[in-house]
Amino acid sequence: MVIQNPKFKIIECGIDIFASSFFMLTRWEEYVNKIRDMHNRFPAYASLAYKNNFLDRPIVNEYVEMLWNMLKFLGCKQEKKKRISTSFNS
């Protein structure tokens, strides 16, 4: 939510971007959830990402973009570094 005030720009974000990123990058749910398949692997169908239909989305990248856009809105002038993608396909 964006709240505009003549003196201040305020953004309220309904999620904790840092905690959510930590949760996704560390795969914390695989550690605490004891559901396993016959090969002792954590099944995708038991994940929060699967249950909420974002298993195939780069959700942490989306969080980074969200944060970047909020910072720009608040007046951050920092330039974003260019990303170099590497491919192993010949």
Side-chain angles (χ1 to χ4, degrees):
M1 172 195 295
V2 175
I3 301 170
Q4 292 207 334
N5 177 313
K7 289 186 176 183
F8 305 105
K9 289 183 180 178
I10 300 170
I11 296 176
E12 287 186 21
C13 182
I15 64 167
D16 184 336
I17 293 174
F18 299 103
S20 298
S21 296
F22 176 83
F23 178 82
M24 297 305 295
L25 292 171
T26 62
R27 305 303 307 145
W28 179 253
E29 68 183 324
E30 293 182 23
Y31 177 73
V32 297
N33 190 330
K34 301 305 177 195
I35 297 173
R36 296 289 182 260
D37 68 9
M38 63 187 278
H39 301 290
N40 201 32
R41 298 173 299 197
F42 181 75
Y45 68 81
S47 72
L48 182 70
Y50 178 83
K51 292 175 183 176
N52 289 282
N53 204 29
F54 64 90
L55 186 61
D56 295 323
R57 283 177 45 196
I59 199 75
V60 174
N61 291 27
E62 292 177 24
Y63 290 155
V64 169
E65 286 301 314
M66 226 168 68
L67 180 60
W68 181 255
N69 288 326
M70 287 187 276
L71 290 171
K72 281 179 44 181
F73 175 80
L74 293 173
C76 180
K77 303 288 187 221
Q78 181 75 31
E79 288 297 317
K80 207 171 175 183
K81 289 185 179 180
K82 300 286 184 211
R83 293 182 65 182
I84 301 170
S85 52
T86 58
S87 175
F88 296 104
N89 298 335
S90 299

